[in-house]
């Protein structure tokens, strides 16, 4: 996990505007609607950005991806601010559309956010994918790394409420299609290093027309384009990085969509877990300080219990069963179930999705983002899944819905031991 005091949710806009549905042990595709737990106050609080994905009917692959979003305290005033990325026109550069930084003005006595993008200097006109937050120069202020469909960007916090683009100076640029990133200290030197997950070698110029089973034009999948290598940057001090990818032995290609770091085998070193779309997921174990070995198959976290790779997209790590180690949860396509890998305490994992009640409720949904969170403050981690299709939904097309890819989000509440009587493990 990211070892810093900031709560980051990458490529995922969940914050204030979730109408939650709780899914418990159910055999139905539709979650059981219990009660409204979260209230949408985004507009009331000043969050007015609307994502623009540039859709023009050509079914460009990148259109189905959501933007970056993160809570973090950029001005160190004790409350959480919000950054939300933006898409843009895919044909012809649009210099108007950009991501937005909202400052939390809670000191006014009510929940209120103010757009401070222009004065902050945290302005990105790139097509947004993901975000990582970390203090790269150990000055006590949060810096920002943006992954894009286009050039990635590093922004250095000037400690006065403003940012300076620092990509070239930090040597962390990457012009390939990057999706997610994570700051972590791979070698224990107290400087945050940076892992960048890359997807596929796709551009508007290389766009292909794919055909659905019904013979209609449809979005292509990741196997239509060559996959890419990820990249690892080592922090050599004061926010300066060197490309450490080959030296770290992270050389495999994959259609990377998510990355979470943490000490998965409790040996005191930070490891890396990467979800690859329609391919084996990678478990990069830190064998020495900063040299990694992919042990995904060996450790049971590369494929599901049926031995099949899945369209792993959203991913998070958390101790859902409160046994002191990190478990893994990820979301998939609608013809697959979501998957949870339970850690045995030594970094070996077992797919327990069905036995804890998370399989059936997720069928029929395509999850792009996810997070462990204790929404009811009972001391046990629950799970949220942010859903949206990758194939146009005919019913929504017939209703002339602008973006015919919408699905309901899901919130899975854990049934804690005192509620499950003699059951052997926690269920959702």
């Amino acid at each position: 996990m990211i070892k810093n005091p900031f709560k980051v949710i990458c490529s995922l806009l969940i914050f204030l505007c979730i109408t939650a549905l709780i899914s418990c042990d159910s055999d139905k595709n539709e979650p059981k609607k219990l009660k409204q737990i979260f209230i949408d106050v985004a507009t009331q609080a000043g969050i007015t950005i609307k994502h623009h994905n540039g859709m023009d009917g050509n079914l460009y692959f990148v259109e189905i991806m959501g933007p970056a979003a993160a809570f973090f305290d950029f001005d160190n005033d004790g409350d959480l601010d919000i950054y939300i990325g933006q898409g843009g026109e895919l044909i012809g550069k649009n210099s108007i559309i950009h991501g937005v930084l909202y400052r939390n003005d809670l000191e006014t006595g009510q929940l209120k956010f103010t757009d401070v993008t222009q004065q902050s200097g945290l302005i990105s006109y790139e097509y947004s994918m993901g975000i990582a937050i970390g203090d790269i120069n150990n000055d006590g202020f949060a810096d920002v790394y943006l992954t894009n469909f286009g050039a990635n960007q590093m922004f250095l916090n000037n400690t006065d409420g403003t940012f300076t683009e620092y990509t070239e100076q930090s040597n962390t640029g990457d012009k390939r299609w990057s999706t997610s990133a994570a700051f972590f200290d791979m070698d224990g030197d107290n400087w945050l290093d940076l892992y960048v997950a890359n997807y596929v070698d796709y551009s508007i110029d290389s766009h292909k027309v794919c055909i659905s089973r019904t013979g209609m034009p449809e979005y292509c999948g990741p196997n239509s384009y060559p996959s890419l290598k990820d990249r690892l940057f080592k922090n050599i001090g004061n926010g300066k990085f060197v490309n450490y990818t080959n030296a770290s032995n992270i050389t495999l290609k994959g259609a990377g969509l998510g990355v979470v770091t943490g000490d998965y085998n409790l040996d005191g070193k930070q490891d890396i877990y990467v979800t690859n779309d329609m391919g084996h997921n990678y478990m990069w174990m830190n064998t020495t300080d900063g040299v990694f070995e992919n042990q995904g198959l060996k450790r049971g976290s590369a494929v599901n219990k049926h031995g099949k790779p899945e369209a792993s997209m959203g991913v998070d790590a958390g101790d859902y069963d409160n046994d002191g180690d990190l478990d893994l949860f990820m979301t998939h396509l609608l013809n697959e179930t979501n998957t949870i890998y339970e850690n045995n305490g030594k970094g070996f994992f077992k797919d327990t999705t069905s036995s804890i009640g998370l399989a059936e409720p997720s069928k029929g949904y395509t999850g792009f983002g996810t997070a462990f969170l204790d929404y009811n403050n009972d001391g046990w981690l629950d799970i949220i899944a942010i859903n949206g299709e990758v194939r146009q939904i005919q019913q929504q097309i017939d209703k002339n819905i602008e973006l015919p890819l919408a699905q309901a989000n899901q919130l899975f509440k854990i049934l804690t031991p005192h509620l499950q009587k003699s059951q052997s493990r926690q269920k959702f």
Side-chain angles (χ1 to χ4, degrees):
M1 301 293 284
I2 300 174
K3 293 293 183 179
N4 63 52
F6 309 103
K7 175 63 179 176
V8 182
I9 303 175
C10 296
S11 302
L12 159 64
L13 181 54
I14 65 173
F15 47 91
L16 301 170
C17 47
I18 300 167
T19 298
L21 300 177
I22 297 183
S23 296
C24 299
D25 245 344
S26 173
D27 293 330
K28 298 180 180 180
N29 288 341
E30 289 297 322
K32 183 184 296 183
K33 188 174 182 179
L34 298 180
K35 64 179 179 178
Q36 189 177 40
I37 298 170
F38 293 93
I39 301 173
D40 181 355
V41 297
T43 302
Q44 176 185 335
I47 309 296
T48 58
I49 185 174
K50 181 179 179 180
H51 184 241
H52 178 66
N53 72 349
M55 181 183 289
D56 64 2
N58 285 304
L59 302 178
Y60 295 121
F61 191 11
V62 67
E63 294 172 359
I64 61 177
M65 303 291 185
F71 283 116
F72 71 112
D73 184 6
F74 83 90
D75 50 5
N76 279 11
D77 66 349
D79 53 39
L80 290 175
D81 311 296
I82 300 174
Y83 179 84
I84 306 170
Q86 184 56 283
E89 303 297 336
L90 291 166
I91 300 296
K93 191 70 174 178
N94 190 322
S95 60
I96 299 175
I97 298 175
H98 56 75
V100 179
L101 177 65
Y102 289 101
R103 185 186 64 215
N104 190 335
D105 291 329
L106 190 60
E107 57 270 18
T108 62
Q110 60 182 355
L111 188 62
K112 179 184 177 183
F113 290 87
T114 302
D115 181 347
V116 295
T117 312
Q118 295 295 333
Q119 60 259 45
S120 74
L122 184 55
I123 306 175
S124 173
Y125 296 97
E126 298 292 341
Y127 198 105
S128 172
M129 288 284 117
I131 183 170
I133 307 296
D135 181 4
I136 66 171
N137 56 358
N138 290 346
D139 65 353
F141 283 78
D143 308 301
V144 177
Y145 188 77
L146 301 177
T147 61
N148 301 306
F149 176 64
N152 295 344
Q153 297 166 288
M154 178 77 80
F155 287 89
L156 191 69
N157 194 323
N158 298 322
T159 76
D160 60 359
T162 67
F163 291 82
T164 299
E165 184 166 355
Y166 198 66
T167 313
E168 184 176 351
Q169 299 93 318
S170 64
N171 191 40
T172 55
D174 195 331
K175 294 184 178 181
R176 299 173 296 171
W177 185 357
S178 301
T179 51
S180 298
F183 286 110
F184 72 118
D185 185 3
M186 68 177 176
D187 48 12
D189 64 355
N190 295 318
W191 294 101
L192 287 179
D193 308 298
L194 174 65
Y195 190 97
V196 179
N198 289 313
Y199 194 45
V200 297
D201 187 10
Y202 170 82
S203 67
I204 301 303
D205 292 337
S206 66
H207 175 68
K208 300 176 182 179
V209 176
C210 291
I211 304 299
S212 70
R213 293 179 180 177
T214 62
M216 299 296 292
E218 194 50 271
Y219 290 105
C220 293
N223 294 334
S224 300
Y225 300 93
S227 56
L228 297 173
K229 291 181 181 179
D230 295 342
R231 188 164 288 184
L232 178 63
F233 295 97
K234 175 179 169 58
N235 192 333
I236 57 176
N238 291 318
K240 307 289 186 180
F241 293 79
V242 294
N243 187 343
Y244 202 68
T245 310
N246 290 333
S248 68
N249 194 40
I250 296 178
T251 57
L252 297 177
K253 291 184 177 181
L257 278 179
V259 54
V260 283
T261 61
D263 183 4
Y264 296 113
N265 59 350
L266 301 180
D267 67 349
K269 296 188 285 288
Q270 292 291 296
D271 311 303
I272 308 164
Y273 186 74
V274 181
T275 56
N276 292 308
D277 194 358
M278 305 299 293
H280 288 195
N281 296 332
Y282 297 148
M283 175 64 77
W284 293 106
M285 303 304 294
N286 198 337
T287 57
T288 56
D289 290 335
V291 178
F292 296 85
E293 179 183 344
N294 176 32
Q295 298 180 3
L297 282 172
K298 171 183 175 181
R299 292 185 175 271
S301 58
V303 294
N304 66 16
K305 65 181 180 181
H306 304 293
K308 295 181 179 180
E310 298 173 293
S312 305
M313 295 186 285
V315 62
D316 200 10
D319 186 10
Y320 92 92
D321 49 5
N322 281 354
D323 65 351
D325 54 41
L326 290 174
D327 309 296
L328 296 162
F329 179 80
M330 60 218 64
T331 55
H332 302 295
L333 285 174
L334 81 166
N335 58 346
E336 302 168 333
T337 70
N338 294 335
T339 304
I340 195 162
Y341 292 108
E342 186 177 302
N343 194 334
N344 72 348
K346 298 180 180 179
F348 291 90
F349 295 83
K350 181 180 181 181
D351 178 354
T352 60
T353 312
S354 297
S355 62
I356 64 173
L358 283 173
E360 288 300 320
S362 63
K363 288 182 179 178
Y365 292 89
T366 294
F368 269 94
T370 191
F372 283 108
L373 76 164
D374 181 7
Y375 83 91
N376 56 357
N377 294 327
D378 66 353
W380 294 85
L381 290 177
D382 311 294
I383 296 173
I384 190 165
I386 307 302
N387 300 318
E389 255 289 37
V390 296
R391 297 287 184 267
Q392 297 181 89
I393 301 171
Q394 189 59 49
Q395 290 178 331
Q396 295 181 24
I397 294 174
D398 295 340
K399 294 179 181 179
N400 295 317
I401 294 176
E402 182 181 2
L403 303 176
L405 303 167
Q407 289 185 322
N409 298 328
Q410 292 172 293
L411 179 64
F412 299 96
K413 179 182 184 296
I414 193 168
L415 302 180
T416 49
H418 69 278
L419 296 177
Q420 46 176 319
K421 298 179 181 179
S422 62
Q423 294 174 340
S424 60
R425 63 161 47 98
Q426 287 68 45
K427 285 194 173 187
F428 289 84

